[in-house]
Amino acid sequence: MRVFLSLFGLSSGIMVGAGVVAILILVGIIPRMAQVSNTKEYIHIYEILLVLGALLGGFISIQNIHVDIGKFGAILFGIGYGVFVGFLSSGLTEVLDYIPVVSRRLKIPTMGLKYIIISMLIGKVIGSFIGWTIIKGG
């Protein structure tokens, strides 16, 4: 029974991880981020690191692994995670043309878009700060 459950869990994790990575690659977020950052020659490295990160993150999340990285390490990893999520969400938004579609449907003038984007950014930062310091810390 344990062998079956282990194989089932492993295959399910591989399918979900492969699906997430495939969506990120097929939607074109990684090539677009490489294009914007002028690092097109490193696209294959980005993809390999994405797969390895998903694999390692999944492995660490199902195991009872505790790594004491201290406050400085937590700050460093928190900033790295925030940058990743920010790039991912902004890349997905750009690839799917979310903001132009919404602005056309809500009849928002083009000049007002930058203020909406800045407001969304500030709201995300403040919301994350409140969530991580006040709600989780209290």
Side-chain angles (χ1 to χ4, degrees), residues 9-129:
L10 181 66
S11 63
S12 298
I14 289 172
M15 288 188 319
V16 169
V20 168
V21 171
I23 286 174
L24 293 176
I25 292 171
L26 289 175
V27 170
I29 292 174
I30 295 174
R32 180 65 182 140
M33 285 174 38
Q35 180 184 10
V36 169
S37 63
N38 293 325
T39 56
K40 290 181 188 176
E41 61 271 10
Y42 300 114
I43 288 178
H44 295 297
I45 293 173
Y46 295 153
E47 292 172 349
I48 289 170
L49 289 175
L50 179 67
V51 170
L52 287 176
L55 182 66
L56 185 62
F59 179 74
I60 289 173
S61 71
I62 62 171
Q63 299 297 318
N64 193 11
I65 297 174
H66 176 74
V67 179
D68 188 18
I69 57 176
K71 288 184 179 182
F72 181 72
I75 290 170
L76 188 64
F77 278 94
I79 290 172
Y81 180 72
V83 168
F84 173 75
V85 170
F87 266 117
L88 183 64
S89 62
S90 64
L92 189 58
T93 300
E94 182 179 327
V95 167
L96 297 177
D97 289 331
Y98 173 75
I99 293 175
V101 169
V102 170
S103 68
R104 279 194 300 270
R105 292 208 176 153
L106 297 177
K107 297 181 177 134
I108 299 171
T110 308
M111 292 175 31
L113 284 180
K114 67 180 177 181
Y115 299 113
I116 291 172
I117 294 171
I118 291 171
S119 299
M120 289 170 40
L121 175 69
I122 292 170
K124 177 67 176 164
V125 169
I126 292 172
S128 297
F129 181 73

